[in-house]
Amino acid sequence: MSTFFTMKKNSLFLILILLTAISCGERVDLLVHNAKIYTVNENFDQATAFVVNDGKFIAVGGEELVKEYNPANTVDAQGLAIFPGFIDAHCHLLGLGLSQFKVDLRNTDGVEEVIQKINEHQQTYHQKIIQGDGWDQNQWEDKSFPDNKKLNAAFPDTPVVLERIDGHAYWVNQKAIEMAGIDPNTEVKGGQIVKHKGKLTGVLVDNAKKLVDKIIPEYSKEDKIKAFVKAQNLCFENGLTTVNEAGLSKKDIYLIDSLQKKGAISLRVYAMIANNPADIDHFTRKGILKTDLLNVRSVKVFADGALGSRGAALKKNYNDHKGHYSDLLISKDSLKRIAEILLSKSFQMNTHAIGDAANQAVLEVYNHVLEQTKDPRWRIEHAQVIAPEDFKHFNEKIIPSVQPTHATSDMKWAVDRLGTERLNGAYAYKDLLDWSGVLALGTDFPVEDINPFKTFYAAVARKSSEGSKSQKAFLPKNALSRYEALMGMTRWAAYANFEENEKGSIEIGKFADFIILDQDIMKTDIEKILKTRIVATILNGKIVFSNRL
């Protein structure tokens, strides 16, 4: 049987029509033709057809391939655009899946709505410890950190732990504070226990979160399996065939490996090891773990916190909080020690750095440690605020891994945090690309939306997906071209994972991971990009998601 795809006019649904294939030539699994194929190869060539066998591309070219091969399945793409499967270079797959067990506080407008959503959640789940995530005080009328007075009144006997949208702060009630053993005299290094007039507010930033983490029971293996399966399905629906999980424990990495080997999940995962000494020691002793679906050869390190919760380490005080600039979460000496260990074991170091002080420290350590190393491909995750004098320290050895929707989400308040002058070195994706030559693009989901077209739109248009056509572009001099944005979501992201020889483009010998779109994002009006839909996601030459009638 052979298959081709066609689109009903003004419809996003996929119609599968089965036809009998009558052809001669080499027997293969799949032939796709009559398509507009962006190969994203070295020359950025376009093609109209390709052939897949045993899960890999074996020929890429024109309509002549129809006569040369005898496919078990044929796809007539009806002129639709086809791209390599998208790669999300920085996200939290497990976090996305586990969010189904938490109260969704995204887009709430204040404390009262937060409490309302918690009450609705509890009516269904009746949890002994209430967890929620996604609140952002920058979206509220009062943009200062909340206190827990109303949380205490509404939930006096049940601990409540609510994580901020950036994952770098908790907002907890008094019951949780008591269970964690926190009092006004408790001190923490590399974080902040926020107080007002000497009293605890319930807001805990960065390392202070760990004080509460100990009272939160770990999710069961069954819940994590459900989480991974749900998150994978969301990835396939959004055209993602590989994701970079930014920080996992040894236990969770091996859970992914076991699920992949059983066929329970098939999403490709580049898993960064969380900065836990025991886990790092385990993997560096055993060496790189690599299969067709899993790649474990990197460690995620935190240099600072987030700008939204004022945990990003800045060289000078926050513009909207005089006397506060925040510190590094880890000393430069510790950064250097970790870097030297990872380099000696040929592991990649991927360091979260948002503030200009954090980026300066990481750049200094990287350049010192990597001086004699030819191709380390170490990464700075986020690289969000860079001082003018530090851009020159980026180079081909250091890859900025950035999330374009962070810029457009933060645009409403970033100038308040940084001031106009310092903002010029923030979210500077084009400048970073010019210095490094490569840029890996991701979303940081579930912090931001998983939708890759929002990433593409934010990178190119520098506008928020929630804005209007007349919305002014945010720092437009650092916009990327469509070519650069696509490269960052495919070929360059694969390169940042040491996987450029197996994915990131449609070329002979690479995995047959590709997506079919209902419009050509390289040509259509930029303001129509967000309306793009996935027609089908194909992994190893097999459909893992389709829009069917």
Side-chain angles (χ1 to χ4, degrees), residues 480-494:
L480 301 178
S481 69
R482 296 191 199 211
Y483 165 82
E484 292 162 347
L486 179 60
M487 290 287 282
M489 297 164 64
T490 54
R491 191 180 185 92
W492 288 341

Side-chain angles (χ1 to χ4, degrees), residues 106-121:
R106 290 171 297 177
N107 300 315
T108 49
D109 59 15
V111 176
E112 288 75 14
E113 187 177 4
V114 167
I115 291 174
Q116 176 187 335
K117 284 184 172 290
I118 295 173
N119 280 322
E120 291 171 354
H121 179 85

Side-chain angles (χ1 to χ4, degrees), residues 306-360:
L307 195 63
S309 49
R310 296 192 186 88
L314 301 179
K315 293 184 176 184
K316 297 180 181 179
N317 291 338
Y318 277 79
N319 192 62
D320 59 352
H321 200 288
K322 302 303 180 184
H324 178 71
Y325 55 88
S326 200
D327 293 319
L328 295 174
L329 297 180
I330 184 172
S331 70
K332 280 182 64 176
D333 286 342
S334 295
L335 273 174
K336 184 180 177 183
R337 282 196 296 273
I338 294 173
E340 289 171 341
I341 291 170
L342 296 181
L343 182 63
S344 71
K345 301 294 185 178
S346 299
F347 270 66
Q348 182 188 51
M349 186 167 175
N350 300 337
T351 307
H352 165 119
I354 288 185
D356 53 11
N359 277 284
Q360 179 190 44

Side-chain angles (χ1 to χ4, degrees), residues 73-285:
N73 296 284
T74 299
V75 174
D76 181 343
Q78 300 285 306
L80 292 176
I82 295 180
F83 295 84
F86 289 151
I87 300 171
D88 192 310
H90 183 112
C91 64
H92 303 277
L93 187 70
L94 181 58
L96 176 67
L98 290 176
S99 63
Q100 64 187 296
F101 304 114
K102 301 178 182 180
V103 189
D104 184 0
L105 302 176
R106 290 171 297 177
N107 300 315
T108 49
D109 59 15
V111 176
E112 288 75 14
E113 187 177 4
V114 167
I115 291 174
Q116 176 187 335
K117 284 184 172 290
I118 295 173
N119 280 322
E120 291 171 354
H121 179 85
Q122 279 298 86
Q123 288 175 12
T124 301
Y125 294 98
H126 309 289
Q127 293 175 324
K128 295 181 179 179
I129 295 183
I130 300 169
Q131 294 186 70
D133 59 19
W135 63 273
D136 182 1
Q137 83 284 0
N138 292 311
Q139 296 180 342
W140 303 348
E141 184 176 350
D142 181 357
K143 293 179 171 47
S144 58
F145 273 140
D147 61 39
N148 59 7
K149 293 178 181 177
K150 292 184 178 179
L151 280 182
N152 296 338
F155 309 99
D157 302 315
T158 305
V160 178
V161 182
L162 310 177
E163 191 167 41
R164 193 181 183 278
I165 191 168
D166 56 16
H168 286 267
Y170 280 157
W171 173 27
V172 304
N173 67 348
Q174 184 61 31
K175 185 66 176 180
I177 288 174
E178 292 171 357
M179 291 176 64
I182 302 171
D183 63 42
N185 297 317
T186 303
E187 296 182 356
V188 64
K189 186 176 182 180
Q192 184 184 10
I193 299 173
V194 180
K195 303 173 189 175
H196 179 67
K197 296 182 178 180
K199 295 184 178 180
L200 300 176
T201 64
V203 175
L204 309 169
V205 181
D206 290 318
N207 285 348
K209 292 172 57 188
K210 296 178 182 178
L211 301 173
V212 169
D213 284 341
K214 63 187 180 184
I215 74 167
I216 301 174
E218 185 176 0
Y219 285 97
S220 68
K221 181 179 178 180
E222 290 71 26
D223 283 343
K224 287 185 177 181
I225 291 172
K226 291 177 183 177
F228 278 127
V229 171
K230 179 172 182 177
Q232 171 196 251
N233 293 340
L234 288 171
C235 288
F236 288 154
E237 289 174 20
N238 283 277
L240 300 175
T241 53
T242 296
V243 297
N244 290 17
E245 170 61 87
L248 279 179
S249 68
K250 179 182 71 173
K251 181 189 295 186
D252 292 334
I253 288 172
Y254 280 123
L255 177 57
I256 290 176
D257 188 38
S258 68
L259 293 174
Q260 290 172 330
K261 287 176 177 175
K262 293 175 183 176
I265 61 174
S266 56
L267 180 70
R268 303 191 200 279
V269 179
Y270 187 84
M272 304 178 202
I273 307 158
N275 184 16
N276 175 288
D279 290 357
I280 293 173
D281 181 66
H282 169 83
F283 283 106
T284 53
R285 279 190 294 106

Side-chain angles (χ1 to χ4, degrees), residues 29-32 50-60 82-86 236 241-242 266 268 292-293 501-516 536-544:
D29 295 330
L30 174 67
L31 167 71
V32 176
F50 56 70
V51 179
V52 175
N53 202 45
D54 293 331
K56 292 186 177 181
F57 298 110
I58 65 167
V60 181
I82 295 180
F83 295 84
F86 289 151
F236 288 154
T241 53
T242 296
S266 56
R268 303 191 200 279
D292 284 351
L293 296 179
N501 292 324
E502 60 188 56
K503 63 179 69 167
S505 60
I506 296 173
E507 296 183 85
I508 294 172
K510 294 191 176 183
F511 294 131
D513 300 348
F514 61 95
I515 55 176
I516 304 175
T537 302
I538 293 87
L539 187 84
N540 271 339
K542 298 179 180 178
I543 297 173
V544 290

